[in-house]
Amino acid sequence: GAGVSQSPSNKVTEKGKDVELRCDPISGHTALYWYRQSLGQGLEFLIYFQGNSAPDKSGLPSDRFSAERTGGSVSTLTIQRTQQEDSAVYLCASQWTGRTDTQYFGPGTRLTVL
Amino acid sequence: QQQVKQSPQSLIVQKGGISIINCAYENTAFDYFPWYQQFPGKGPALLIAIRPDVSEKKEGRFTISFNKSAKQFSLHIMDSQPGDSATYFCAASKGTYKYIFGTGTRLKVLA
């Protein structure tokens, strides 16, 4: 079946603008993660959704970052008043918790803040 | 205590050689240790994973060695090929939740 998809693949925005990044997880996967990958760095956990439970937002770097997951499927990561340090690749991963340990990653959205 | 330290940062290996990447962790509660492979412009993909009840796991040319007492694990790529050139990330987690990733190793295999 289809893998995790993310859109847009690239986003260039001006400092101070808001951006929305979208993630479509693998159908049936109950868990969804957002990570940030800065140039030459590892993957930084941002937020985790599991079913109908309250999300784990412990990795969000500031209150300018928020995310939601509608209907237990599609997720949107919103960054308000973008700053240049927000420039990174934002990766989404989904996981069929309970059956497999594997997190399946999407191709990412490369965000550039000018 | 939540960190996973990965080394080296970059690695150059001749075709046919052995590539070795090392990771160390501190949290003894971690019980799942995956390795991910990432090609430029792509998301990471699971390569191989191990749980601490075994000391070694092999899948094709890829082997994970796990040393529970030292809190270290490593990835060995035998007969390295140019197509293996990618960035490799180790990770650790308790259960399947919220992986803690290493900082990555950029591997280049020379033809």
Side-chain angles (χ1 to χ4, degrees):
Chain A
V4 178
S5 60
Q6 293 186 243
S7 60
S9 55
N10 282 283
K11 177 71 176 178
V12 179
T13 189
E14 294 180 348
K15 177 181 174 181
K17 300 286 189 182
D18 298 351
V19 296
E20 287 188 350
L21 313 179
R22 178 187 169 103
C23 172
D24 283 90
I26 294 173
S27 178
H29 280 195
T30 61
L32 186 148
Y33 302 75
W34 283 97
Y35 293 90
R36 179 168 69 177
Q37 185 175 25
S38 302
L39 186 64
Q41 298 298 310
L43 285 76
E44 175 188 7
F45 166 81
L46 297 177
I47 189 168
Y48 164 71
F49 295 90
Q50 169 58 57
N52 296 320
S53 301
D56 177 350
K57 303 179 182 180
S58 60
L60 295 178
S62 76
D63 59 6
R64 296 186 295 105
F65 288 72
S66 63
E68 63 177 19
R69 188 178 185 191
T70 55
S73 181
V74 172
S75 178
T76 302
L77 176 69
T78 301
I79 308 174
Q80 296 179 309
R81 304 181 303 281
T82 52
Q83 304 295 312
Q84 288 184 333
E85 59 263 29
D86 299 334
S87 295
V89 175
Y90 289 83
L91 291 160
C92 173
S94 73
Q95 183 183 46
W96 188 6
T97 303
R99 286 290 300 275
T100 174
D101 301 325
T102 304
Q103 291 187 25
Y104 294 89
F105 282 82
T109 294
R110 181 175 297 278
L111 174 66
T112 302
V113 182
L114 301 177
Chain B
Q1 192 168 10
Q2 287 291 85
Q3 283 187 329
V4 175
K5 296 181 180 179
Q6 183 172 347
S7 63
Q9 187 173 16
S10 62
L11 181 61
I12 299 175
V13 175
Q14 294 288 337
K15 179 181 176 181
I18 302 173
S19 303
I20 302 174
I21 304 170
N22 301 298
C23 285
Y25 64 98
E26 297 176 354
N27 189 342
T28 55
F30 289 150
D31 59 3
Y32 181 68
F33 303 89
W35 283 90
Y36 277 79
Q37 179 188 54
Q38 184 179 31
F39 293 105
K42 305 291 185 182
L46 179 69
L47 190 61
I48 187 172
I50 198 169
R51 291 196 178 273
D53 52 345
V54 297
S55 60
E56 185 175 283
K57 182 174 181 179
K58 183 177 181 179
E59 291 184 1
R61 296 184 294 108
F62 302 92
T63 300
I64 299 179
S65 297
F66 186 82
N67 186 329
K68 188 174 181 178
S69 60
K71 292 185 285 186
Q72 295 176 346
F73 58 110
S74 60
L75 175 69
H76 296 236
I77 306 174
M78 311 300 288
D79 188 25
S80 299
Q81 299 297 311
D84 298 330
S85 297
T87 299
Y88 293 81
F89 292 96
C90 63
S93 67
K94 177 172 169 52
T96 63
Y97 164 68
K98 201 169 164 183
Y99 296 170
I100 307 298
F101 282 91
T103 51
T105 296
R106 184 170 294 182
L107 171 65
K108 184 176 178 63
V109 181
L110 302 177

